Amino acid sequence: SQQGEEDPQALSIQEGENATMNCSYKTSINNLQWYRQNSGRGLVHLILIRSNEREKHSGRLRVTLDTSKKSSSLLITASRAADTASYFCATDAWGGNKLVFGAGTILRVKS
Amino acid sequence: EAGVVQSPRYKIIEKKQPVAFWCNPISGHNTLYWYRQNLGQGPELLIRYENEEAVDDSQLPKDRFSAERLKGVDSTLKIQPAELGDSAVYLCASSLTAGLAGVNEQFFGPGTRLTVL
């Protein structure tokens, strides 16, 4: 079963625009991670945010976490064609010692 | 530093045939994971190893799937016999052992795309 649910399922934007993807989950977590997957490739870790953190930045990425709403968002600013990929959130539930991935958001950045 | 290595990258087999996938994790990573990813879905954990011990195999269909991690380094995942529904991408990942702060970032290999005809 997949705990995280990403929204939207697919997103198409123009190069230079910002892209926002959301993730909702069901149980209390240790941390939440975001990964990117280019077509035909393995997943690449983007950012990890712990349950006691509210916001984290990495380059053009900004992740927020709201544990009261059990949700997280990933913002990619000034998107590029190379950002075209699937993005997954993955939750590490308390006591689970494993990541549970959502179904992902497919992002297409048009140049 | 080399990443997670998997082979083969692609495999096409007839149903009822056996198939095996191999993974070499990042050096120093004690934790190794096998995931299955169906089209349009996120990866789903099949088995997790801490060194050579399988500590979570609750999602592994044990009637046909088996895995081993001899000497706590390389790992092999086997399916025998394969069924049509096993067509998917099989991903291997590795990480440092989880601590009090939870699961660490995982490093994924490129995956093996399995097609069962």
Side-chain angles (χ1 to χ4, degrees), chain B residues 17-70:
Chain B
Q17 294 300 305
V19 64
F21 315 121
W22 175 81
C23 173
N24 179 245
I26 290 173
S27 178
H29 282 186
N30 293 330
T31 309
L32 183 146
Y33 313 80
W34 282 103
Y35 290 90
R36 177 170 59 192
Q37 185 177 24
N38 292 311
L39 190 64
Q41 297 294 314
E44 293 186 324
L45 182 68
L46 292 173
I47 189 167
R48 174 170 66 95
Y49 281 94
E50 291 292 339
N51 298 304
E52 62 274 6
E53 182 182 358
V55 294
D56 184 354
D57 63 356
S58 57
Q59 300 302 310
L60 189 72
K62 298 181 185 62
D63 56 337
R64 298 183 300 107
F65 286 64
S66 65
E68 62 182 9
R69 190 183 184 196
L70 299 177

Side-chain angles (χ1 to χ4, degrees), chain B residues 93-107:
Chain B
S94 70
S95 73
L96 296 173
T97 301
L100 294 175
V103 177
N104 292 302
E105 72 171 281
Q106 297 183 10
F107 294 79

Side-chain angles (χ1 to χ4, degrees), chain A residues 1-2 30-31 33 35 37 40-45 48 50 88 92 94 96-104, chain B residues 9 33 35 37 40-45 48 56 58-59 91 98 100-106 108-110 113:
Chain A
S1 62
Q2 300 188 313
N30 270 318
N31 66 56
Q33 303 182 29
Y35 288 79
Q37 184 176 36
R41 305 279 185 89
L43 281 75
V44 174
H45 181 266
L48 181 155
R50 303 196 186 284
F88 296 92
D92 169 24
W94 281 104
N97 268 332
K98 64 183 179 184
L99 292 181
V100 178
F101 288 82
Chain B
R9 289 295 313 277
Y33 313 80
Y35 290 90
Q37 185 177 24
Q41 297 294 314
E44 293 186 324
L45 182 68
R48 174 170 66 95
D56 184 354
S58 57
Q59 300 302 310
L91 294 162
L100 294 175
V103 177
N104 292 302
E105 72 171 281
Q106 297 183 10
F108 283 79
R113 182 175 297 276

